C-alpha cells in the first residue's frame, strides 16, 4: 500500500487544523495555497505569536526594518500589520489569533537589578535589546537564554490552543533561514509530535536549503502542495506593509509549498 502522509490522511476528514505563524504574514507566505484550499471544508485557525513592537529607542537593525515598510512608526506599523493579517485571513475564511508577544527585533533584555532605571535608559539600544543585530543575532539561529521564560509561556499557550480548537494537525515552520522567532515556533510545534507538520519557510527557502537530509534523519519526509498557487501572490500583496520589502522586484515566485511529515518509520496506524 503506498505511503499516505499525515496531511493526506487528515484530508479525508474535516477536523480543524491549527497553523502557528511566527509573524503577521508567515502562514500565508508559506502555506497560503493549502490554507485557502482547506478552509473550504474545515476550520482553519492561524495563531500568530510575535505581533507587537516596543517603543523607541530602537536598534539600528530595527530602524532598518521599519524604513523598509510603508509605516515608519513601530507601534503604528504593527497595528497596521495586525489589521492586514486579520483582513487577509478573514477573506480566506480563516480564524486569526494574535498572541501578542514582541517581535525579536524589538525584544528587550531585563534591566539588571544593580542598574538604576535612568542609567539603563541611557544605554545604547544595542545593549538593552536581546537581539541587537539581525545578521549576527536574529539570523544566526541561536535562541537567547533570556527567551526561556517566553518559550515556557508559549508552550502553555499552544497547549491551550490545541485543547480549545481540538486541532488534528499542528503546522509550524521548519526554521529555514534560522530566524530565531521561527526556531522558537518550531520548538513549540515539535512539542506535539502526534500532530505536528512542519512547513518550509517561504521566501527564506528561495535562497536557503530546507535541510531535507536533516529532516530525513529526524524521520520526516517532504510533501508538496501546488494547487491554487496562482492566487497566492495576490494574497501576499494584501500585506502592503511587507510585500514590497520582501519582494522588491515586484515578482512573487510561484513556488510549490513544501511540508515535512513523519515518514514510514514514524507512521502510526
Amino acid at each position: 500500500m503506498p505511503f499516505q502522509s499525515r496531511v493526506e490522511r487528515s484530508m479525508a476528514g474535516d477536523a480543524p487544523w491549527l497553523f502557528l505563524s511566527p509573524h503577521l504574514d508567515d502562514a500565508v507566505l508559506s502555506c497560503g495555497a493549502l490554507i485557502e484550499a482547506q478552509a473550504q471544508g474545515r476550520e482553519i485557525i492561524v495563531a500568530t505569536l510575535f505581533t507587537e513592537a516596543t517603543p523607541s529607542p530602537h536598534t539600528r537593525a530595527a530602524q532598518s526594518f521599519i524604513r523598509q515598510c510603508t509605516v515608519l512608526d513601530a507601534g503604528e506599523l504593527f497595528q497596521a500589520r495586525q489589521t492586514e493579517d486579520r483582513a487577509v485571513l478573514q477573506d480566506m475564511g480563516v480564524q486569526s489569533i494574535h498572541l501578542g508577544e514582541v517581535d525579536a527585533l524589538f525584544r528587550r533584555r531585563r534591566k539588571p537589578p544593580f542598574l538604576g532605571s535612568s542609567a539603563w535608559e541611557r544605554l545604547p539600544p544595542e545593549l538593552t535589546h536581546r537581539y541587537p543585530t539581525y545578521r549576527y543575532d536574529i539570523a544566526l539561529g541561536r535562541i537567547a537564554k533570556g527567551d526561556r521564560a517566553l518559550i515556557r509561556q508559549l508552550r502553555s499557550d499552544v497547549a491551550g490552543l490545541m485543547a480549545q480548537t481540538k486541532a488534528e494537525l499542528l503546522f509550524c515552520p521548519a526554521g529555514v533561514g534560522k530566524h530565531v522567532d521561527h526556531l522558537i515556533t518550531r520548538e513549540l510545534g515539535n512539542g506535539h509530535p502526534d500532530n505536528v507538520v512542519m512547513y518550509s519557510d517561504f521566501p527564506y527557502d528561495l535562497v536557503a536549503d530546507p535541510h531535507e537530509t536533516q529532516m530525513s534523519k529526524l524521520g520526516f519526509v517532504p510533501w508538496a502542495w501546488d494547487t491554487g498557487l496562482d492566487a497566492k501572490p495576490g494574497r501576499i500583496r494584501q500585506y502592503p506593509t511587507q510585500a514590497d520589502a520582501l519582494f522588491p522586484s515586484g515578482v512573487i515566485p510561484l513556488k510549490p509549498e513544501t511540508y515535512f511529515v513523519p515518514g514510514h518509520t514514524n507512521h502510526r496506524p
Side-chain angles (χ1 to χ4, degrees):
M1 180 178 177
F3 170 68
Q4 189 179 40
S5 77
R6 175 174 285 178
V7 182
E8 290 167 321
R9 293 198 302 274
S10 184
M11 281 180 173
D14 59 0
W17 289 0
L18 174 62
F19 287 76
L20 297 183
S21 182
H23 304 116
L24 293 155
D25 57 9
D26 284 318
V28 172
L29 282 165
S30 298
C31 312
L34 179 63
I35 287 174
E36 188 142 21
Q38 289 299 304
Q40 319 259 337
R42 73 176 73 243
E43 183 181 14
I44 301 286
I45 306 99
V46 172
T48 306
L49 280 62
F50 303 101
T51 60
E52 301 286 344
T54 53
S56 62
H58 298 132
T59 63
R60 292 182 179 87
Q63 292 174 37
S64 176
F65 166 73
I66 293 169
R67 285 195 298 269
Q68 295 174 44
C69 302
T70 58
V71 180
L72 299 182
D73 175 83
E76 293 177 10
L77 170 62
F78 274 74
Q79 286 181 3
R81 294 187 68 188
Q82 292 173 27
T83 299
E84 289 171 354
D85 189 58
R86 291 190 185 100
V88 174
L89 294 175
Q90 183 177 10
D91 202 24
M92 294 169 68
V94 173
Q95 179 185 351
S96 62
I97 298 172
H98 294 164
L99 295 184
E101 300 298 343
V102 174
D103 187 292
L105 272 172
F106 302 90
R107 282 206 290 282
R108 290 197 168 103
R109 302 177 188 271
R110 287 188 176 182
K111 181 183 74 65
F114 59 82
L115 197 64
S117 296
S118 59
W120 176 250
E121 291 168 4
R122 288 197 301 269
L123 290 174
E126 279 69 22
L127 296 180
T128 61
H129 283 71
R130 196 165 289 165
Y131 299 99
T133 71
Y134 183 84
R135 181 176 179 181
Y136 298 109
D137 296 289
I138 288 175
L140 205 60
R142 288 202 302 252
I143 299 171
K145 291 181 180 178
D147 275 342
R148 287 175 179 171
L150 169 65
I151 293 170
R152 287 194 295 271
Q153 176 59 51
L154 286 170
R155 281 199 187 105
S156 176
D157 292 341
V158 171
L161 285 172
M162 288 293 290
Q164 174 188 334
T165 62
K166 297 180 172 58
E168 183 172 61
L169 296 184
L170 176 64
F171 291 77
C172 69
V176 179
K178 297 183 178 180
H179 190 299
V180 293
D181 285 347
H182 289 237
L183 297 182
I184 288 172
T185 310
R186 180 182 70 183
E187 187 172 327
L188 302 174
N190 285 337
H192 298 266
D194 292 335
N195 312 93
V196 71
V197 174
M198 287 186 274
Y199 57 81
S200 183
D201 313 56
F202 179 82
Y204 293 102
D205 59 7
L206 292 174
V207 295
D209 180 4
H211 308 299
E212 291 189 13
T213 301
Q214 180 182 351
M215 288 291 179
S216 178
K217 290 179 181 178
L218 295 173
F220 286 81
V221 296
W223 180 82
W225 178 266
D226 59 6
T227 302
L229 288 178
D230 289 348
K232 192 171 174 181
R235 290 297 186 201
I236 293 172
R237 289 192 180 95
Q238 286 180 267
Y239 292 92
T241 65
Q242 303 299 298
D244 289 344
L246 289 169
F247 305 98
S249 71
V251 177
I252 300 174
L254 293 180
K255 185 179 188 295
E257 296 171 355
T258 300
Y259 299 85
F260 297 97
V261 298
H264 293 279
T265 56
N266 292 60
H267 174 68
R268 298 182 180 186

